DNA sequence: TATGAATGAGGCTTCATTCAT
DNA sequence: AATGAATGAAGCCTCATTCAT
């Protein structure tokens, strides 16, 4: 309350809208490094040229930035995945296009892993539900064999996320796409020879 | 854990080892409920008949108990997984026994993964390396087809963790074991019919 | 205070003096409601169509508006009290006119004392000094009996402020004036019968 | 969270119960100087040899210390005033004993004025209600003349508090007692000659 | 001048850890 | 050893004030 003076100000280079991006970028980085729980708002601010108060002009709390990040990601991937699935007429195409789109996204998004995102944001959950619905539709059309759609979705997601780590670590998008697709098409026996 | 009032006169004081166990048990419970960051040492102590200072006679820090807990988990699973793989003479047995052991462990342990397992504890990383080594050995023996062993390990882990979630949510261990095994043996086409 | 939407085109921009008044009016309201410490500059500005920076074109600080407000009050009462005393030829008139003027002011002003008047503003202190001087003069003229003028001033002020609370709470100005005057004229025995 | 080391500790001279008193004493001082609103918990702590966290071992907030202080005062004065009134058989005795007890209390309590206490603590309000009840009883017994008891209480309180300021500033307890008693007994005419 | 985002001191509070007993 | 009060760094956030536009 009532701070006495206020020393000469400093930086004021960034535009308003840019600051939001600055904060999001810093948050992306820090969350990736420390995880959600260990990250403090201060950590985020420190990774920024901004003052602590500025954070609160854009986000009410750590939760809110995190939310924003997750939704940003989900918002960015979902249309791509949707588009990838759209034209798929065969199981192989369905799989390959999904995996490729996801791995490409990951490869583009920069290595500092957006942290194995917790799967509970509304946007993310919606994304999964969407995938599962598409899988069910594909099963109904006969494009995919009938099976436990929930488990299959989970398996796809699990493989996608784990292999994405390898992509981030430098693996080729096409190699991982081929690997994952082959696995789901024909099991281990069908995998590309090492 | 222990009753608050002083135990009946004839009873021996808690031994040191018992106190350590008391703290670990409380920590297991509290960390599972709140996650690492949200848990305070006071929360752990409160779940105990001990005083706050006593905590530090047994653990150097909050990190240390958490560490101990994670390693305890890894320590508990690894032998089971190792045993599961040991006798496997066929690929199918190798997979099924691994998955079954893991899902059973998860089903028994209640909530083994408070915040979706951090994969960075030394013990956990060692567990992965061990799995990958076993896979490579199996490939060499011809039990598993030759392929990118790292990617295969990743895929196995991804599927195992995602389906484990379904087990926690009530799915049958055998059903998930069959599902995962079939997936890796023959791909989607081989999955049990829905 | 002023409507948020831009005023009709034909209307002249608010003049500087009007802005000052706008701010003072808003401050009067907000300080009265929340007290000094609980009031934020933003609260004051929010009660205004102006922007936060504009505040500082008119006042150097939050203190300054508050000061201005207190002095405004003192400035408003003092002439009325002075006038009230001016013509008093008898002790009774002196007292009654002072009390009446003060109680009337309080009754009109709504909540003149947000947090029970801090007695330390220069204007307020000057007001007291002036009252005491007048009392001393009146004693010298024989209008008031010779006594400890400082203590008498204090007693008058104490009674005036406490009864003012009752006026704010709905008591009649005349009743309180009569009560206070009678008390100082003849003590408890002279008070109006209940 | 998780401060890394913790530099060598320091002071640890005071006993537990003493610390509460230490804080209350500091609070008494600081509130008197700055008033309730302007005082921060930090101000109180700084007026103490204790660490910031220690404050919260004793009080949950600024409000709580303030409460404690007010109640402490009210608790200390009320019995004395009650005792003062108890034996009063005449109006003059009733007044003189009340005023004397109050002024003595103020004189003893040390100069750093416990700030013109806001009259809204439960204890303080109860004290007023008690006084008013005694006044009403005295009126009923004929010890005090029948009049507006609420207004009379207010007037007594106003005079008591204002003259208490003079006592704090060095005036004699007996002189102020005589002044106030005379005022209420016979009005200005009855006041001791200057 | 008016605007409103940026700034950062400083308020409040928690909690890992120490240490006198 | 066990205890639990004390410690103080550090988290969170507000808000008076400045300054580029």
């Amino acid at each position: 309350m009532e701070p006495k003076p206020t020393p000469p100000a400093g930086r004021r280079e960034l535009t308003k809208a840019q600051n939001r991006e600055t904060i999001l970028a810093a948050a992306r980085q820090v969350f990736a490094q420390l995880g959600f729980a260990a990250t403090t708002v201060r950590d985020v601010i420190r990774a920024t040229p901004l003052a602590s108060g500025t954070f609160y002009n854009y986000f009410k709390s750590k939760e809110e930035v995190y939310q924003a990040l997750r939704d940003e990601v989900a918002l960015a991937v979902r249309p791509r995945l949707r588009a990838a699935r759209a034209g798929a007429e065969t199981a192989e195409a369905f799989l390959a296009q999904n995996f490729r789109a996801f791995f490409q996204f990951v490869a583009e998004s920069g290595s500092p892993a957006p942290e194995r995102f917790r799967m509970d944001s509304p946007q993310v959950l919606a994304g999964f539900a969407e995938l599962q619905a598409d899988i069910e539709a594909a099963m109904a059309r006969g494009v995919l064999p009938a099976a436990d759609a929930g488990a299959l979705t989970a398996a796809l997601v699990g493989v996608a996320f784990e292999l994405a780590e390898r992509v981030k670590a430098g693996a080729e998008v096409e190699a991982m796409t081929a690997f994952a697709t082959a696995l789901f098409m024909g099991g281990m026996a069908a995998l590309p020879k090492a």
Side-chain angles (χ1 to χ4, degrees), chain A residues 103 106 113 115-116 159-171:
Chain A
F103 293 149
V106 167
E115 140 139 334
R116 195 174 301 251
V159 169
F161 274 89
E162 286 301 322
L163 294 186
E165 294 299 316
R166 299 182 73 81
V167 169
K168 285 185 218 161

Side-chain angles (χ1 to χ4, degrees), chain A residues 81-184:
Chain A
L81 293 180
R82 209 161 22 215
R85 283 176 230 135
E89 284 308 318
T90 65
E92 186 154 15
F94 182 95
L95 292 168
Q97 289 171 33
N98 260 307
F99 283 122
R100 185 177 295 111
F102 185 65
F103 293 149
Q104 261 165 3
F105 176 81
V106 167
E108 288 163 16
S109 305
S111 304
E115 140 139 334
R116 195 174 301 251
F117 274 109
R118 289 172 84 181
M119 310 296 168
D120 44 10
S121 139
Q123 287 283 354
V124 172
L125 290 178
F128 283 155
E130 199 176 77
L131 174 58
Q132 186 166 337
D134 276 9
I135 285 175
E136 281 163 359
M139 285 179 179
R141 290 207 315 273
V143 171
L144 294 181
D148 179 337
L152 182 52
T153 304
L156 285 166
V157 166
V159 169
F161 274 89
E162 286 301 322
L163 294 186
E165 294 299 316
R166 299 182 73 81
V167 169
K168 285 185 218 161
E172 291 288 335
V173 167
E174 280 313 318
M176 289 301 107
T177 301
F179 186 98
T181 305
L183 176 63
F184 279 87

Side-chain angles (χ1 to χ4, degrees), chain A residues 23-35 39 47 69 112-115:
Chain A
I23 292 171
L24 277 174
R28 193 153 33 233
Q29 238 226 71
V30 177
F31 279 131
Q33 260 176 35
L34 307 181
T39 298
L69 271 183
E115 140 139 334

